[in-house]
Amino acid sequence: MDAIDVIVAKRDGRELSGEQISWVVDAYTRGAIAEEQMASLAMAILLNGMTRPEIGRWTEAMIRSGSRMDWSGLDRPTTDKHSTGGVGDKITLPLAPLVAACGAYVPQLSGRGLGHSGGTLDKLESIPGWRASLSNDEMLGVLRAAGAVVCAAGDGLAPADKKLYALRDVTGTVESIPLIASSIMSKKIAEGTGALVLDVKVGSGAFMKDVEHARELARTMVDLGTDHGVTTVALLTAMDRPLGLAVGNALEVRESLEVLSGGGPSDVVELTVRLAREMLEAAGVTGRDPEDALKDGSAMDAWRRMIAAQGGDPDAALPEAAETLEVTAPASGVLSRLDAYGVGVAAWRLGAGRARKEDSVSAGAGVTLHAKPGDTVREGQPLMTLHADEAARFERALAALEGSYEVGEAADPGMLPLVVDRITA
Ligand code: URA
């Protein structure tokens, strides 16, 4: 087989065969196809798309490039959630222990943030002592001890995706629905979960800016999961404004602890409980309602066990940024708009995110919100507080926020509902 034939076939809009896909993914992983050839193929896929059979075969080839985890020895069903990423999306933190407290195992392989959207591992790493890298045996130990484990994917899991995602990142080929769907689902299927709930974000702070594309991504991923024997459901949820009131690593851990203590912002609580119910239903686990497990402290107990089992100190003080700056309301009225992307970029520039994979992040940096769209505000009232390790970062963060919020007479009628849609097999 020849890489040029495969590239030309996709360039000319033809469907690739199973043999072509298996060969090209395997050869690329082994280093037998040049980076520029794969970049060219990725661009042809972005421009011409892939059919459902092609996406299935591509995903299968990426799964087969590495190992597949197996949790069949556990005495309870496994279930997981994956979010396509957004601003202030800390839901995994309260959700994983909550679902564990309700009777399912949650084995979650998670990632770090890049650009304006945060990563779950970065958030958890703001807890002193907490360790993201675990061996398979350690992962099993944490699962048995706490019912939930959130850790980094090892090198053996879908290595084809690791290589391809890094290439897409620098060749303008991330925004392809077949490539995003196969990238996410190859890792989730290889992770070995029995059930999966996808939180597909839609809006300015998400990959998918409009509902139509988010629905197409969700449908593609639900079909992939179903075809591979994983019970898969997707929710489309709002990312036109930030989720909750905290954006930034330690700030989001603190907000998650409020949720686990029975409080927290209403949108974070509502989405956590909704996703927990979906995860339990998909796994066929009944008996305990997640709202009860938040109220009676059992979700918090599971959190403490999960953090301690990964070396973290659940009682340690969380890092705080040295400098803060308040942003005040320019007029009295209703906060009609608070753009997720603008707030995400501000938090990133304050030090909460990274521009390149090698960069480190600040644990204490970020943005705390004092009002959400629809809230009444008075001129001069604090709208948000910026947190950074160095005051020099404020200027560029303020520039990112310019035009990102508006005080008017009423909330924007185009604001998305928290849960926009539900996609099932
Ligand atoms: N997240 C992934 O894991 N892969 C993509 O392609 C996009 C987001």
Side-chain angles (χ1 to χ4, degrees):
M1 213 149 320
D2 189 328
I4 298 172
D5 291 343
V6 181
I7 295 166
V8 167
K10 190 38 75 182
R11 183 198 68 189
D12 294 345
R14 279 181 272 136
E15 186 177 45
L16 302 180
S17 69
E19 292 74 38
Q20 283 175 312
I21 289 175
S22 305
W23 177 80
V24 89
V25 171
D26 176 59
Y28 177 61
T29 313
R30 285 187 285 109
I33 287 182
E35 293 288 339
E36 59 269 24
Q37 290 181 309
M38 195 51 149
S40 177
L41 180 58
M43 185 58 83
I45 291 170
L46 180 132
L47 295 174
N48 291 328
M50 286 206 275
T51 62
R52 180 170 171 177
E54 282 181 299
I55 302 171
R57 290 173 198 137
W58 190 274
T59 307
E60 185 62 40
M62 297 228 285
I63 297 168
R64 270 193 278 112
S65 71
S67 53
R68 195 168 168 169
M69 303 186 89
D70 178 12
W71 306 110
S72 57
L74 291 170
D75 57 347
R76 284 183 262 146
T78 50
T79 187
D80 190 13
K81 184 251 350 179
H82 177 83
S83 161
T84 54
V87 178
D89 184 3
K90 72 282 296 171
I91 298 286
T92 287
L93 277 57
L95 180 66
L98 173 60
V99 170
C102 293
Y105 281 119
V106 184
Q108 179 165 140
L109 297 175
S110 214
R112 291 176 203 284
L114 194 63
H116 75 280
S117 91
T120 298
L121 300 181
D122 295 323
K123 295 171 200 194
L124 287 165
E125 276 175 343
S126 65
I127 301 170
W130 189 86
R131 215 158 39 87
S133 292
L134 301 181
S135 67
N136 287 0
D137 281 350
E138 284 176 318
M139 220 181 142
L140 190 60
V142 179
L143 258 190
R144 288 215 159 101
V149 58
V150 180
C151 62
D155 289 341
L157 199 102
D161 177 65
K162 221 164 241 147
K163 216 174 153 190
L164 182 57
Y165 194 32
L167 179 70
R168 287 167 55 213
D169 204 28
V170 293
T171 55
T173 51
V174 168
E175 293 87 354
S176 149
I177 288 180
L179 291 179
I180 296 174
S182 54
S183 164
I184 292 173
M185 293 306 290
S186 62
K187 288 174 285 198
K188 286 288 144 181
I189 294 164
E191 171 196 276
T193 184
L196 178 65
V197 177
L198 298 161
D199 182 1
V200 179
K201 299 288 185 200
V202 55
S204 71
F207 260 120
M208 297 292 133
K209 309 293 179 202
D210 61 72
V211 172
E212 193 193 326
H213 285 101
R215 199 174 273 128
E216 188 186 336
L217 176 63
R219 165 57 54 207
T220 307
M221 292 197 291
V222 167
D223 288 347
L224 281 173
T226 307
D227 289 351
H228 282 85
V230 180
T231 308
T232 310
V233 175
L235 296 185
L236 263 54
T237 71
M239 191 35 71
D240 49 350
R241 68 263 180 197
L243 188 56
L245 296 170
V247 181
N249 302 307
L251 297 169
E252 294 190 42
V253 172
R254 204 166 283 127
E255 188 167 275
S256 303
L257 289 168
E258 287 171 22
V259 173
L260 287 163
S261 304
S266 58
D267 57 347
V268 180
V269 177
E270 184 184 334
L271 192 55
T272 303
V273 169
R274 175 70 193 268
L275 287 165
R277 289 189 181 131
E278 293 283 358
M279 286 169 72
L280 292 163
E281 185 185 327
V285 174
T286 52
R288 287 212 72 195
D289 187 63
E291 256 177 24
D292 297 337
L294 281 181
K295 283 197 197 110
D296 70 10
S298 49
M300 178 63 102
D301 292 342
W303 160 268
R304 293 176 64 82
R305 283 196 297 273
M306 180 179 95
I307 296 303
Q310 284 177 243
D313 177 357
D315 297 312
L318 291 165
E320 284 184 38
E323 308 287 341
T324 59
L325 181 77
E326 271 181 3
V327 177
T328 56
S332 295
V334 173
L335 182 63
S336 48
R337 207 170 57 81
L338 180 62
D339 183 61
Y341 182 70
V343 175
V345 173
W348 175 20
R349 291 182 179 177
L350 289 166
R354 54 171 71 76
R356 290 166 312 155
K357 277 199 296 293
E358 313 72 60
D359 296 347
S360 58
V361 297
S362 157
V367 180
T368 42
L369 307 172
H370 306 300
K372 292 285 290 262
D375 289 352
T376 302
V377 296
R378 262 180 301 121
E379 185 179 345
Q381 168 194 325
L383 275 187
M384 50 191 123
T385 304
L386 313 186
H387 306 250
D389 295 331
E390 311 98 32
R393 288 185 177 264
F394 289 140
E395 193 181 334
R396 291 195 68 233
L398 288 170
L401 288 169
E402 250 170 55
S404 294
Y405 56 94
E406 241 172 68
V407 177
E409 293 191 347
D412 177 359
M415 196 168 105
L416 293 168
L418 183 61
V419 178
V420 178
D421 203 355
R422 179 174 188 265
I423 311 285
T424 58

